[in-house]
Amino acid sequence: MGTLPRWRTRPWWLGALALLLSVGLWWLAPAGAGVAAPADGGGARGAGTGPADPGGVVAAGSFELAKVRILGVPALTVASPVVGHQDNAPDARRRAEVIEGNLRLLYDPEHLCSESEQLAEWVLVKVLGGSGEACEPWPLLGGSGNAPGSLVVERRQLPGGDVVLEARVPERSEPLPLLTVTRADASLNGVSAMALGERWQKRLQSRLRHARQVMQPADLRRRWQITVAVQLALALVTAATLWLWRWNRQRCAALVGRRLPTPDRALEQRLQLRQVFGLVLLLLVLLQLMVMLALGVMAVPGKVPLGLQLLLQPVHSVLKVLMVGLVALLARSLATFLLHQWADGARVPVEEQARREQRHRSLLRVSHRLIDLACILVAAGWILIDIPGIRAASSSALLAGGALLGGLALVFQGLLRDFVAGLAVLIEDRYAIGDWVEIDGLEGDVVDVGVLSTQLHCLDHRVAVVQNSAFDRVVNHTKLRSGEEVKLLISHRCTAIGQALAVVADELAAFHADPTWGPRLLAPPLLRGVSATGPLGITVSVLLTTVTGEQWACARELQGRLVARFQREGIPLADGLELAARG
């Protein structure tokens, strides 16, 4: 037990590398934060960028920025001053919502009524006659007969200096106001309002014409036909991949059957390769299903960014898992280095060095498990946050999640008690891997110390699992040192008890001087003399103090030597014949 494993003789460089990389990642983490720039390519002079809130508003120095989207794709970035609102202008978020509504009227007018209201109006129109206009889109700008190229975006300067962008379409006699280029927009982009209006005019006209073209019935029909064809092809590829995965699984089962009677290294390698191949096929199936879902979402006009986000989600998830895995590897290396330094402390007494090495194994295993669990939770949370819709969860959803966690804590309070008790076991050093302990009537060798339970390997080769919070009393037979009381029952027919004690003392001296058994003793055997008398005989006891775990072997050896010596010296041991004769 005093010899350290070879892999632990020089781990200092691994721990130092883990520490340096951890500090480097922590230092570089703020630099990797995303910086939001205006969608029109302009930048604010001297304005710093800030984090985006769930509503899509970005703080940029003295301004608040918000994106204006056409078919879900950002087209413009509007601004509003944070301090001293000019002309009582609305904030950036409200401006973006109003502008998006104006733009949507030109390519995707919304219905004012629900589906049931539209159906009720249609039935009423069929019964009474006339026309139904209440539930129709207003104004009706997205008709199939309107050519996308007929839309023209114009700009007009107001007397106050602001520039207004308007859209002219054949179905309206008057232009439709779209947005007003404010002084905040011009100041943010570092150009005049007229120059910025010209830039936005060209962009909106091209984007709106494209949106009207996309919403044409012929284009929508062609879009869905292509999507259905691609989805069918992907479904066939997915079915083929599933069949290949099932075939590979059957081959793995066949290799396992061949491996059982005669283990072979070549079979083991083939089995491992097929298992890895099966895992790759399973991941490929999941990826294909994700692609099919993303393509289905992208077939809906305006949902292309959402589909691309779903398509990139597996890639981002893999990158996040790799990053968290690297952090877990560094944390495990750092924990190994620190625990190694703690176990090999120069100021540790010699008698406690072996105990520290024993505790080192338990602490190392538990620390690695805790690091793995923490990294798994971090990776899962990181992946879930980037799923569309979860990041923008409302405060009520967060409160509901907190209440759910509180309820789960009440339901699984037993596991929490086991976790706290497991940490107490490790911190207080009640026992460690390799100790022989007694826990509530169970006795065995500790083979695993977890944060929830402890596993004991009993003498009859049973494995007992004990919850850490399920017991109050622990007896550790092998912590730092071990001891055993050896008792001999001498017959009442022995008339020279002093001679018997002298024989025991002589044999104890010889046992302590033995080169095989002497090093296992931490102190000379202590002859306690006559410890009890009874109807069966006279009890003579000897106390042994041994190295951890050697008390039972030393006690068996000493008992055998004492019995043989008593037989040579003619000292009778109690055999119960006196009671039988009296009876």
Side-chain angles (χ1 to χ4, degrees):
M1 186 176 294
T3 304
L4 295 176
R6 185 176 181 181
W7 63 271
R8 285 191 53 213
T9 55
R10 289 181 297 176
W12 60 268
W13 61 271
L14 191 59
L17 178 61
L19 182 60
L20 290 176
L21 289 179
S22 301
V23 174
L25 288 176
W26 173 80
W27 183 70
L28 291 175
V35 178
D40 56 0
R45 296 180 181 178
T49 58
D53 66 1
V57 177
V58 179
S62 301
F63 302 96
E64 285 184 350
L65 311 180
K67 296 182 288 292
V68 176
R69 300 176 178 87
I70 298 177
L71 288 179
V73 181
L76 304 176
T77 299
V78 295
S80 64
V82 177
V83 180
H85 287 278
Q86 301 175 3
D87 301 330
N88 295 322
D91 58 7
R93 180 186 303 177
R94 181 59 181 164
R95 283 193 63 202
E97 292 175 354
V98 172
I99 295 172
E100 282 187 3
N102 294 335
L103 298 177
R104 194 178 297 113
L105 290 175
L106 295 172
Y107 63 88
D108 186 19
E110 296 182 355
H111 290 271
L112 302 179
C113 304
S114 63
E115 293 181 358
S116 59
E117 291 173 337
Q118 294 179 39
L119 182 60
E121 185 191 46
W122 179 80
V123 172
L124 191 61
V125 168
K126 291 297 182 181
V127 172
L128 299 180
S131 60
E133 298 178 354
C135 290
E136 292 182 357
W138 184 90
L140 187 58
L141 301 177
S144 59
N146 300 321
S150 61
L151 183 145
V152 178
V153 177
E154 300 175 347
R155 72 180 185 276
R156 179 168 55 90
Q157 190 170 11
L158 300 178
D162 292 337
V163 177
V164 176
L165 297 184
E166 300 173 334
R168 286 192 175 274
V169 288
E171 53 267 25
R172 282 183 62 95
S173 58
E174 295 293 331
L176 176 67
L178 299 179
L179 62 93
T180 300
V181 182
T182 62
R183 283 174 287 178
D185 298 326
S187 176
L188 176 68
N189 291 274
V191 295
S192 64
M194 183 60 71
L196 184 59
E198 183 181 1
R199 184 189 305 172
W200 284 3
Q201 174 190 5
K202 296 178 180 178
R203 178 170 303 173
L204 288 180
Q205 180 170 296
S206 61
R207 294 284 187 91
L208 288 173
R209 288 180 177 180
H210 170 73
R212 288 167 68 91
Q213 179 66 40
V214 168
M215 299 301 294
Q216 294 295 319
D219 285 59
L220 289 176
R221 186 164 47 253
R222 188 183 312 109
R223 187 190 193 106
W224 281 107
Q225 290 174 352
I226 295 175
T227 301
V228 170
V230 175
Q231 293 281 38
L232 289 177
L234 285 176
L236 292 177
V237 174
T238 304
T241 308
L242 282 173
W243 178 86
L244 187 60
W245 173 78
R246 185 176 180 181
W247 174 80
N248 182 76
R249 187 178 178 183
Q250 294 176 353
R251 298 297 299 171
C252 288
L255 289 177
V256 171
R258 292 173 55 187
R259 183 187 61 177
L260 292 177
T262 56
D264 188 6
R265 184 174 181 83
L267 286 178
E268 291 287 343
Q269 294 179 351
R270 290 177 58 188
L271 180 61
Q272 292 179 359
L273 290 177
R274 288 202 172 274
Q275 290 175 348
V276 173
F277 182 60
L279 180 60
V280 172
L281 290 177
L282 187 59
L283 294 177
L284 186 59
V285 169
L286 296 177
L287 180 61
Q288 291 169 352
L289 293 177
M290 184 64 71
V291 171
M292 292 177 64
L293 177 62
L295 291 179
V297 172
M298 292 170 63
V300 180
K303 301 297 182 181
V304 173
L306 178 60
L308 291 176
Q309 189 173 0
L310 291 174
L311 193 60
L312 294 176
Q313 192 68 28
V315 179
H316 292 166
S317 300
V318 171
L319 293 177
K320 292 172 184 177
V321 169
L322 291 178
M323 291 180 63
V324 174
L326 177 60
V327 173
L329 179 62
L330 296 178
R332 286 168 66 102
S333 302
L334 184 59
T336 302
F337 170 72
L338 295 177
L339 288 175
H340 171 65
Q341 297 302 317
W342 171 80
D344 294 341
R347 298 182 180 180
V348 180
V350 178
E351 59 271 13
E352 296 186 7
Q353 185 64 44
R355 181 61 185 178
R356 281 216 174 185
E357 169 61 25
Q358 193 175 3
R359 289 189 65 192
H360 170 269
R361 290 185 293 167
S362 301
L363 293 174
L364 187 64
R365 182 177 298 184
V366 172
S367 64
H368 285 182
R369 288 177 179 175
L370 292 177
I371 290 172
D372 293 343
L373 178 61
C375 290
I376 290 174
L377 293 178
V378 169
W382 197 6
I383 292 173
L384 288 176
I385 285 177
D386 280 347
I387 293 179
I390 293 183
R391 174 180 291 181
S394 62
S395 58
S396 59
L398 296 178
L399 292 177
L404 179 61
L405 291 178
L408 292 177
L410 291 177
V411 173
F412 298 103
Q413 56 183 338
L415 293 179
L416 296 178
R417 285 198 302 267
D418 292 335
F419 180 79
V420 175
L423 295 181
V425 166
L426 295 172
I427 294 174
E428 296 181 358
D429 189 24
R430 299 178 184 177
Y431 49 80
I433 296 176
D435 283 339
W436 187 274
V437 298
E438 291 183 43
I439 301 178
D440 288 346
L442 292 174
E443 186 174 355
D445 186 22
V446 179
V447 295
D448 189 14
V449 179
V451 293
L452 298 179
S453 62
T454 299
Q455 294 186 15
L456 301 180
H457 191 190
C458 301
L459 192 61
D460 55 358
H461 297 289
R462 293 181 300 170
V463 176
V465 180
V466 184
Q467 300 299 321
N468 290 332
S469 62
F471 55 86
D472 299 326
R473 181 173 177 270
V474 179
V475 178
N476 194 335
H477 292 275
T478 57
K479 183 176 179 180
L480 294 180
R481 59 183 63 191
S482 299
E484 184 74 8
E485 186 180 10
V486 180
K487 297 181 179 180
L488 290 175
L489 195 60
I490 302 176
S491 175
H492 287 290
R493 292 181 283 110
C494 178
T495 57
I497 191 65
Q499 179 186 0
L501 294 178
V503 169
V504 173
D506 182 64
E507 194 62 33
L508 292 179
F511 184 75
H512 184 255
D514 189 282
T516 302
W517 298 98
R520 305 185 186 187
L521 302 175
L522 296 179
L526 176 62
L527 176 59
R528 302 180 63 190
V530 178
S531 60
T533 59
L536 294 179
I538 304 170
T539 302
V540 177
S541 65
V542 176
L543 182 61
L544 296 178
T545 304
T546 69
V547 179
T548 56
E550 297 292 340
Q551 68 271 31
W552 298 293
C554 292
R556 289 191 296 268
E557 178 67 20
L558 181 59
Q559 285 179 345
R561 292 190 179 197
L562 289 176
V563 169
R565 181 68 180 273
F566 278 13
Q567 290 177 351
R568 291 196 302 269
E569 298 292 339
I571 299 176
L573 296 174
D575 52 9
L577 296 179
E578 295 90 342
L579 291 178
R582 293 174 186 175

